[in-house]
Amino acid sequence: MLQRTITGAMIFVITLAFVLLKMVHALFFDAFVLMIVYAALYETIGAYKNVEKKPYMVALYALPALMCLVFNLELSILHSLIYVLLMAVAVLVYSLTADIIGFEQKRKKGIIEQDVNVLNSTLFERTKITMQIVAYPLIPLAFMFALNHLPYEIGYIGIILIFVVSMLTDTCAYFVGMLFGKTKFIPEVSPKKTVAGVVGGLLGGVIGALGCFFLFYYTDMFTALNIAGMGKSIAAMLIIAIGGSYINQLGDLIASALKRKIGIKDFSHIFPGHGGFMDRVDGMMFVSTFIYIILVLFFV
């Protein structure tokens, strides 16, 4: 418990430092996100290697830097998202081409599997794994870049909400589940998650988002909320609070299911008591995507 608390406090302080550095320049937060994305990518590739799944690493390692570059070009929201989609398609085309070439080389050497069922199950195997990693975690994490390059106040609100909603959801789910959790919540996927923990996590996310709203609105910290008006702003915050907290917990379940399928407990052990980068951002990446969509719909 003590080790987990100390590590959590250190993560919070480092995160807060980079959030504040955004006031100096957006590139500081881009650098922070790049570190998270590359660490998460490294851990995910390592996890798949545990079951002898090998993606096309050159394409995957090039993608985060290219996504960061796209959001720094000051394009429109639509054009930025289109370019990210095109990059994902480019990775798909590259992977399929490499698989076809590899298949032909094996065929010429006479080492192609003769069993049709086995052949079909392994055909384009590296493309499948590569695109799974593009879809999870790279594309959801790209929305942290996207939030960073929204109009300044809206983007800053979104970045703060990512960490407040996600961290309070995780923290409240952990402590409420530990104190009051008796009924398990999908134990086949996440043995430690309880119904009480899920409810506690939702309450934590709601309290965090609404607390941010009242702080921002009544101190005029971000005038964008005041310009939009109380009704519109509080509606957006309620959606982010409830939806973001719920989605954060779904992200935890997705990561738990993947880890059980691969046969690992944590993606790494870089954070004592917390696991790896992927274990910390498994819900946060989906929260960032959700918050980005809501902020664009309501304020941009």
Side-chain angles (χ1 to χ4, degrees), residues 22-221:
K22 176 177 165 56
M23 289 189 287
V24 179
H25 201 286
L27 285 176
F28 283 104
F29 193 74
D30 276 340
F32 181 57
V33 176
L34 267 178
M35 177 188 69
I36 292 172
V37 175
Y38 274 114
L41 176 58
Y42 178 80
E43 290 177 349
T44 306
I45 290 172
Y48 277 111
K49 285 181 179 178
N50 194 57
V51 286
E52 298 182 353
K53 305 290 187 181
K54 298 180 180 180
Y56 288 107
M57 291 190 287
V58 173
L60 288 176
Y61 277 111
L63 196 55
L66 291 173
M67 291 190 300
C68 180
L69 176 62
V70 162
F71 288 109
N72 273 280
L73 293 177
E74 297 184 2
L75 304 170
S76 69
I77 290 171
L78 179 60
H79 285 165
S80 296
L81 297 178
I82 287 173
Y83 276 116
V84 169
L85 178 60
L86 287 174
M87 284 189 284
V89 172
V91 172
L92 173 62
V93 172
Y94 168 84
S95 302
L96 286 171
T97 303
D99 267 348
I100 290 169
I101 292 171
F103 182 83
E104 281 301 303
Q105 289 175 341
K106 288 181 180 179
R107 186 180 62 80
K108 288 178 181 179
K109 293 178 181 179
I111 56 174
I112 292 297
E113 176 64 54
Q114 298 301 313
D115 188 312
V116 175
N117 291 328
V118 174
L119 179 62
N120 287 338
S121 67
T122 58
L123 196 59
F124 301 121
E125 180 67 23
R126 293 189 71 179
T127 295
K128 295 172 190 174
I129 298 302
T130 301
M131 296 314 296
Q132 282 179 26
I133 296 174
V134 170
Y136 178 85
L138 292 186
I139 294 296
L141 284 172
F143 281 90
M144 294 182 76
F145 293 123
L147 274 169
N148 192 34
H149 293 279
L150 281 177
Y152 179 77
E153 285 199 349
I154 299 302
Y156 220 137
I157 290 169
I159 288 169
I160 292 170
L161 285 172
I162 290 173
F163 296 108
V164 169
V165 171
S166 185
M167 288 181 172
L168 275 179
T169 296
D170 288 342
T171 301
C172 291
Y174 176 76
F175 284 107
V176 173
M178 184 176 63
L179 293 171
F180 305 106
K182 294 181 180 179
T183 305
K184 297 293 184 180
F185 183 77
I186 318 182
E188 296 81 6
V189 176
S190 183
K192 293 182 179 179
K193 193 174 286 295
T194 64
V195 174
V198 171
V199 174
L202 283 170
L203 289 175
V206 170
I207 290 169
L210 291 183
C212 284
F213 165 74
F214 288 114
L215 175 65
F216 298 159
Y217 193 87
Y218 288 109
T219 62
D220 292 330
M221 187 181 297

Side-chain angles (χ1 to χ4, degrees), residues 233-256:
S233 296
I234 202 167
M237 291 298 164
L238 278 171
I239 293 170
I240 287 171
I242 299 169
S245 183
Y246 181 68
I247 287 170
N248 186 82
Q249 298 191 68
L250 285 181
D252 290 342
L253 288 174
I254 291 170
S256 295

